[in-house]
Amino acid sequence: MRYLPNSQADRELMLREIGVKSVDDLFAPIPPEYCLNRNLNIPLQWSEAEVYDWFRARSAENGTEYSMFLGAGAYNHYRPVVIDSLISRGEFFTAYTPYQPEIAQGTLQSIFEFQTMICELTGMEVANASMYDGSTGAAEAVMMAVRLTGRNSAIVARSVHPEYREVIRTYAKHQGMPISEAAFAGNGRVDLAALDRAITDDTACVLIQSPNFFGTIEDVAALADLVHKRGALLVVSIAEAVSLGIVRPPVEADIVSMEAQSFGIPLSYGGPYAGVIATKEKFVRQVPGRLVGETRDRNGKRGFVLTLSTREQHIRREKATSNICTNQALIALMANIFMTVYGREGLKDLAKQNLAKTAYAVEQFGKKAKVLFSGAPRFNEFVVQTSEESYAISHRLADKKIIGGFPLIKFYPELGNASVWCCTELNTREQIDIAAGEVK
Amino acid sequence: MADTKCTPTVAAPGAKATTHISQNEGLIFELSSRGKKGYRLPPLDVPEVDEKKLLGKSAREDLGNMPEVSEIEIVRHFTRISTWNYAVDHGMYPLGSCTMKYNPRINEVVARLDGLAAAHPYQSEKISQGALKVLKTLSDYLVEICGMDAITLQPAAGAHGELTGILLIRAYMESKGNPRKKILIPDSAHGTNPATAAMCGYTVENLKSDSRGMVDLAALEAQMNEDVAGLMLTNPNTLGVFDQQIARIAKILHAKGGLLYMDGANMNALVGKTRPGDFGVDVMHLNLHKTFSTPHGGGGPGSGPVVCKRILEPFLPVPVIIERPDGTLGLEYNRPESIGRVRMFYGNFGMHVRALAYIMANGADGLRQTTEDAVLNANYIRKKLEGVFDLPYSTPSMHEVVFSDRLQTGKGIKTGDIAKRLIDYGFHPYTVSFPLIVHGALMIEPTESESLEEMNQFIDAMKQIAREAEENPDVILTAPHTTRISRLDEVSAARKPILRWKPQAQTAAE
């Protein structure tokens, strides 16, 4: 077995030193009737070449080199090659949670930089060292709002990613936390009047997404006004992080829950991604997950440590703010490198290309079908209503190696044959023209 | 830069570690200056847009203090700070219960294959057959390894798997008419266990361990009643001890209608040797990063699949992978009794690829050998350090061994100090002060990845530190001496948290 460094002679020597006859003596605590006396029903060991070939065949089956018009919570952006080059350093990917700060400063400083950039981009004062993903991060943000307000229910906009809403419902259900939904108006934004009627004295928070599931940018300031007047908190979820390059940050929010996948993290069939929770400084002790703080060593030298751990499960056990124990350090590092590569100018340039591609696509698609929600600004996603079923269009496009939009019929039957399409900097004019040509 | 003050008297004699090039490096923001670029976009092939016109008052003015640096500066920055990390690739990383084993490189290569890495989770099933085959194959293997009936790969980490597993128990109990009120948790449990139970709406009742570090059966009999939904048991537990009474524990629970949850964090001690499903476990999670070698990445991503018995299958999160009549694979969402969804999409797919590659490379034979080597290595270290350090529980060890600092505390030296001194000898410290039931615990897990030579060096270092504790305790109390920075002030970091960088002028103005 090529991953095991000990020879048979080493093993025998160790057994002698321990004073047992065979390795099975070491497994004596397992009652004999439960010892597995056969091989697991798994093939015997494979060579590296066999492993590689098996996965290469799976990769080919999955289809490559399609052009992509799917967004819906997972975005197809270019990943600068330095990301994989740097995260492939064993010092980053084979290290553990930085419990021993003197020999984990690389991870700690990287996270501190990540926290800083997330604050800059979101307009918040503190950010954690990442959550599992955008959907669980949104659920944790809702629970955080419940702890902060002492109120027990939450309102989630219907224009929030449907799978985020499902995750929030799962988390909330067994904690006796009622969740209701707020409708969207004709322009795709949250219906303010309906929301106003829905908020009660028990509403801990209103969670919205901006840009929302339809690509529509919400009027965060107006929503915050309304929500704050009723004594609740506003949680803003951001699924498409690249939007922050050109869209005004949700500074009026109390909590921002973000999915960082757009920042250089591969689509990878849905994961691993990285969520983030950012908020105001006064709420920091209710933030779930890991936080890195700056401090000094004995000689006055700057260094970083995991901090404010009294909120965490290993100290507060059943009273912890959350059971979350891991963060997504390596994925956050990808995002950190991505944000550094593009930086202050590049994130804006990149977002502007996305905006231009989308504007062009909206114009082309609009010639053949009805583009919904045109009354509000949007970022890189748009909803097209067609006379034909969305699946039929996607099917035709697949033959041209194009992956079409996401059909909305399952989650929003009231929109009929509608689908949400996404254009990023990777969609060429030619592909947009072909896709638009097939829509009817 | 090496701190020359600490040599030669306090550098560990004969230690594996020496000081080496370690360049000081500021924060990326401090390296930034206006107008530098690390990117170039292709020319825009559609008409330019005026963002102010398109976005109106939603347009962003400025990106604040985001960095501006060139590509070479980015590469140097991250390479330099990487050298400040200790990693499995450097040497032994004996963090007990964290299972820091070798991360095979083929795993990384296959996870980056274009058809897998660039696959969109919503692309059609027709062009997702490869990814679905990965998920299905891994599912089948994990079910077989655990001796269970069904699985979800959706949970994103071990603690997330715990949450999913306890939600399954809750949904099952509700389907029987009563969710019940309590979850029993041994005092040797991971801290996430009680937090998880609380998140699922249960109250936590602690269960005492006996003098051997196992569940006290009499206490369990007394505490078990029809208010208890289940017991969360880590097995082998956090002492590295396999609970020999496991089948009786399961029987006591089942007799009163409760279920047995196993925290599978230490499954690397059992793979190929025994199966939890066979000894009465109803539901458990696996930490793919611990048992199946997906990299820890400085703290994540993890992946925490949950396997369960048939009775819990209807409640699994949606979607589940199914085989369609035509032999193709698909995702099924129509599961009316499901607990719902615990994560968007299908889980940490990239980790599923890596874990499967690891299982294939090992095979049934290699997996068993791996488990045997992990247990053998832990017992070798136990034997060699027994007497040098106090062994609070003499019960047989599996894949890890827990000592205490009792023999060293007389000189004012605690487990944390020994850990810091170990750094000077070229090793990552063991797990400090855990489990909580051992005062001053030193929890050591070598894993199967360590050679006899590496372990002998570690053992020598531990013995040398024990001698230093007698002869020169100061050198331990002030350790580490060979690192770029010395011990950090964690108290003031928590008291006055600085959680982000700010430009000098801004800091001064505040």
Side-chain angles (χ1 to χ4, degrees):
Chain A
M1 185 53 231
R2 64 186 180 277
Y3 302 152
L4 300 175
N6 284 325
S7 67
Q8 201 49 41
D10 293 335
R11 290 183 184 118
E12 278 156 22
L13 188 149
M14 282 194 272
L15 287 170
R16 277 201 304 280
E17 294 279 332
I18 295 166
V20 292
K21 280 202 191 69
S22 84
V23 76
D24 275 331
D25 295 346
L26 299 175
F27 288 85
I30 299 172
E33 63 268 37
Y34 301 118
C35 284
L36 192 67
N37 295 316
R38 60 166 175 88
N39 267 340
L40 288 164
N41 187 18
I42 290 172
L44 299 183
Q45 50 187 300
W46 285 9
S47 70
E48 187 171 297
E50 289 170 301
V51 173
Y52 181 66
D53 283 348
W54 192 89
F55 282 97
R56 203 168 47 174
R58 302 292 81 74
S59 169
E61 272 171 18
N62 236 30
T64 50
E65 282 155 25
Y66 278 76
S67 65
M68 179 96 71
F69 288 89
L70 268 177
Y75 300 95
N76 183 35
H77 291 290
Y78 181 72
R79 303 181 61 238
V81 297
V82 294
I83 296 175
D84 273 356
S85 164
L86 289 167
I87 67 141
S88 297
R89 290 186 62 86
E91 294 91 334
F92 283 131
F93 92 91
T94 79
Y96 195 60
T97 308
Y99 291 131
Q100 297 288 344
E102 297 88 352
I103 47 171
Q105 287 296 303
T107 296
L108 287 161
Q109 179 164 326
S110 156
I111 292 174
F112 186 81
E113 292 174 352
F114 173 82
Q115 290 175 179
T116 302
M117 286 192 226
I118 296 293
C119 288
E120 290 291 338
L121 288 178
T122 58
M124 294 287 112
E125 292 162 348
V126 291
N128 70 5
S130 71
M131 309 292 288
Y132 302 141
D133 74 340
S135 67
T136 55
E140 293 273 2
V142 169
M143 295 192 294
M144 181 178 156
V146 165
R147 292 193 298 273
L148 284 168
T149 58
R151 297 171 169 199
N152 197 44
S153 68
I155 298 172
V156 179
R158 210 155 165 270
S159 46
V160 170
H161 194 300
E163 293 196 7
Y164 284 32
R165 286 184 280 137
E166 289 175 9
V167 172
I168 293 166
R169 273 199 294 272
T170 304
Y171 272 69
K173 187 179 167 197
H174 298 291
Q175 300 188 42
M177 197 189 289
I179 303 287
S180 57
E181 295 197 340
F184 51 88
N187 62 358
R189 284 178 159 175
V190 173
D191 184 331
L192 287 176
L195 178 63
D196 195 34
R197 286 192 299 274
I199 301 178
T200 71
D201 290 345
D202 192 44
T203 305
C205 70
V206 173
L207 181 136
I208 63 149
Q209 180 183 325
S210 184
N212 67 26
F213 194 65
F214 309 129
T216 304
I217 298 163
E218 298 282 359
D219 187 345
V220 176
L223 282 159
D225 256 359
L226 188 153
V227 170
H228 289 155
K229 266 188 202 132
R230 308 292 300 272
L233 301 179
L234 180 67
V235 183
V236 176
S237 168
I238 301 170
E240 171 44 300
V242 165
S243 66
L244 286 166
I246 206 156
V247 175
R248 194 177 151 274
V251 289
E252 298 86 356
D254 301 287
I255 305 169
V256 172
S257 163
M258 187 174 119
E259 168 57 65
Q261 182 269 326
S262 285
F263 287 165
I265 298 160
L267 283 166
S268 190
Y269 204 54
Y273 295 170
V276 194
I277 286 183
T279 187
K280 308 285 186 194
E281 208 162 328
K282 61 184 175 187
F283 298 146
V284 71
R285 282 172 206 275
Q286 289 300 332
V287 172
R290 298 291 159 93
L291 293 163
V292 169
E294 182 183 320
T295 188
R296 300 271 151 187
D297 78 353
R298 285 183 170 172
N299 305 315
K301 207 165 184 172
R302 179 172 65 186
F304 303 92
V305 292
L306 289 175
T307 193
L308 297 179
S309 58
T310 48
R311 309 157 297 117
E312 283 189 72
Q313 38 77 25
H314 58 269
I315 294 183
R316 301 239 305 163
R317 294 173 76 86
E318 67 267 29
K319 290 186 177 61
T321 48
S322 159
N323 78 333
I324 196 164
C325 170
T326 181
N327 55 290
Q328 305 292 293
L330 194 69
I331 310 294
L333 176 61
M334 290 187 197
N336 184 10
I337 299 168
F338 180 95
M339 290 187 279
T340 303
V341 166
Y342 283 101
R344 181 180 187 161
E345 297 292 325
L347 284 171
K348 184 161 192 165
D349 287 352
L350 176 66
K352 203 169 168 179
Q353 279 214 355
N354 280 254
L355 202 65
K357 299 272 187 173
T358 308
Y360 176 78
V362 164
E363 203 188 317
Q364 300 309 308
F365 279 68
K367 290 175 185 166
K368 306 282 298 284
K370 189 178 178 190
V371 177
L372 300 181
F373 311 132
S374 288
R378 59 168 72 89
F379 184 82
N380 100 4
E381 283 175 286
F382 56 98
V383 176
V384 182
Q385 205 173 44
T386 49
S387 55
E388 195 182 17
E389 268 199 359
S390 316
Y391 293 102
I393 298 166
S394 294
H395 196 72
R396 236 181 5 258
L397 282 172
D399 292 338
K400 299 176 187 284
K401 283 227 137 188
I402 289 176
I403 298 173
F406 178 77
L408 292 173
I409 191 89
K410 180 177 159 194
F411 295 109
Y412 304 94
E414 71 271 32
L415 298 179
N417 288 333
S419 45
V420 58
W421 294 67
C422 177
C423 282
T424 72
E425 76 281 5
L426 291 176
N427 294 94
T428 63
R429 179 182 194 141
E430 191 190 350
Q431 293 162 0
I432 296 170
D433 290 342
I434 296 171
E438 291 292 338
V439 166
K440 55 187 176 195
Chain B
M1 223 164 69
D3 185 349
T4 48
K5 273 188 309 201
C6 73
T7 51
T9 50
V10 288
K16 211 177 149 202
T18 57
T19 51
H20 71 109
I21 298 165
S22 172
Q23 278 178 284
N24 286 322
E25 177 77 4
L27 289 159
I28 193 72
F29 312 99
E30 295 160 346
L31 309 174
S32 165
S33 56
R34 291 305 297 267
K36 288 192 181 186
K37 279 187 168 59
Y39 74 98
R40 179 171 178 86
L41 292 169
L44 193 60
D45 60 355
V46 298
E48 288 242 21
V49 291
D50 175 353
E51 73 265 24
K52 297 243 162 54
K53 216 168 127 195
L54 278 179
L55 300 176
K57 59 178 186 165
S58 297
R60 179 166 204 156
E61 292 298 324
D62 185 55
L63 271 79
N65 296 307
M66 294 300 281
E68 292 173 88
V69 282
S70 66
E71 185 166 316
I72 175 66
E73 289 166 298
I74 293 166
V75 169
R76 283 206 181 131
H77 173 71
F78 288 102
T79 302
R80 282 175 182 165
I81 66 173
S82 81
T83 66
W84 305 340
N85 271 4
Y86 190 93
V88 175
D89 284 1
H90 291 166
M92 188 164 162
Y93 212 124
L95 271 177
S97 232
C98 299
T99 314
M100 296 298 288
K101 60 169 68 181
Y102 169 61
N103 303 125
R105 294 319 200 253
I106 183 70
N107 299 0
E108 299 303 310
V109 170
V110 295
R112 285 176 175 81
L113 289 170
D114 204 37
L116 302 176
H120 193 286
Y122 286 147
Q123 67 189 35
S124 71
E125 279 179 7
K126 199 177 159 193
I127 54 167
S128 300
Q129 289 300 309
L132 291 168
K133 187 76 188 288
V134 168
L135 296 176
K136 180 71 168 63
T137 310
L138 178 64
S139 294
D140 290 348
Y141 289 175
L142 295 179
V143 162
E144 162 69 5
I145 285 168
C146 298
M148 297 293 213
D149 301 316
I151 187 168
T152 175
L153 297 176
Q154 205 175 87
H160 201 213
E162 287 175 30
L163 179 79
T164 307
I166 297 299
L167 288 179
L168 292 179
I169 291 180
R170 193 174 173 106
Y172 169 82
M173 293 291 166
E174 273 171 1
S175 78
K176 302 275 170 207
N178 178 9
R180 304 194 175 196
K181 297 188 184 72
K182 290 187 284 195
I183 295 281
L184 301 180
I185 300 183
D187 50 12
S188 63
H190 287 120
T192 48
N193 290 176
T196 297
M199 277 178 84
C200 297
Y202 283 113
T203 56
V204 172
E205 200 168 289
N206 271 318
L207 195 62
K208 251 185 11 198
S209 299
D210 66 15
S211 59
R212 298 168 303 165
M214 301 191 197
V215 169
D216 186 325
L217 282 187
L220 175 60
E221 292 266 21
Q223 278 171 265
M224 184 61 206
N225 56 47
E226 273 152 23
D227 278 343
V228 175
L231 165 65
M232 290 180 90
L233 186 73
T234 307
N235 196 26
N237 68 18
T238 52
L239 293 166
V241 170
F242 185 88
D243 208 313
Q244 301 175 29
Q245 317 157 112
I246 184 71
R248 285 189 61 201
I249 293 170
K251 280 197 189 95
I252 294 169
L253 279 151
H254 292 157
K256 295 255 163 69
L259 296 179
L260 178 57
Y261 183 94
M262 189 173 119
D263 180 324
N266 297 332
M267 190 62 195
N268 59 314
L270 307 182
V271 174
K273 302 295 285 184
T274 184
R275 306 194 310 166
D278 295 343
F279 56 65
V281 171
D282 298 294
V283 50
M284 66 181 287
H285 77 266
L286 292 157
N287 300 71
L288 295 187
H289 51 290
K290 292 184 184 180
T291 306
F292 300 102
S293 86
T294 70
H296 287 66
S303 179
V306 170
V307 286
C308 64
K309 290 281 174 66
R310 189 81 59 209
I311 53 164
L312 295 172
E313 188 176 8
F315 311 105
L316 287 174
V318 279
V320 297
I321 301 151
I322 53 158
E323 199 166 327
R324 301 202 184 281
D326 64 358
T328 60
L329 297 169
L331 295 161
E332 191 188 71
Y333 291 84
N334 184 19
R335 311 268 294 187
E337 291 189 280
S338 165
I339 59 166
R341 179 181 271 291
V342 297
R343 187 200 182 280
M344 61 178 179
F345 310 129
Y346 327 113
N348 284 346
F349 175 76
M351 299 300 118
H352 303 149
V353 172
R354 290 170 173 86
L356 180 57
Y358 175 80
I359 292 174
M360 287 172 162
N362 278 279
D365 47 344
L367 288 172
R368 191 200 297 109
Q369 184 68 59
T370 295
T371 303
E372 289 177 355
D373 278 11
V375 172
L376 180 61
N377 281 0
N379 277 283
Y380 179 72
I381 288 177
R382 172 180 161 143
K383 179 76 183 181
K384 292 286 179 177
L385 291 181
E386 220 179 321
V388 181
F389 295 93
D390 172 60
L391 190 68
Y393 290 88
S394 57
T395 324
S397 297
M398 299 295 286
H399 63 299
E400 58 195 1
V401 54
V402 179
F403 293 100
S404 91
D405 60 12
R406 202 175 57 86
L407 302 180
Q408 284 74 35
T409 45
K411 298 279 182 181
I413 288 167
K414 299 199 176 96
T415 174
D417 303 310
I418 299 166
K420 296 297 184 200
R421 183 59 174 157
L422 197 50
I423 294 170
D424 289 332
Y425 283 86
F427 295 96
H428 192 281
Y430 48 78
T431 295
V432 176
S433 305
F434 190 83
L436 302 175
I437 54 170
V438 173
H439 190 266
L442 291 69
M443 186 191 209
I444 300 169
E445 180 179 9
T447 84
E448 72 280 1
S449 303
E450 299 314 323
S451 66
L452 183 58
E453 292 78 13
E454 185 88 6
M455 286 193 294
N456 282 337
Q457 282 185 320
F458 173 77
I459 289 159
D460 285 348
M462 291 296 286
K463 285 181 174 169
Q464 182 68 23
I465 295 170
R467 269 196 295 279
E468 286 172 352
E470 295 297 318
E471 294 158 10
N472 183 14
D474 257 7
V475 78
I476 301 177
L477 292 167
T478 51
H481 304 281
T482 53
T483 47
R484 197 183 125 263
I485 51 166
S486 59
R487 275 200 220 190
L488 287 149
D489 183 354
E490 301 194 29
V491 175
S492 70
R495 209 166 275 162
K496 288 178 116 181
I498 304 169
L499 304 173
R500 57 161 300 184
W501 174 86
K502 282 179 184 167
Q504 285 299 316
Q506 210 176 320
T507 318
E510 279 173 7

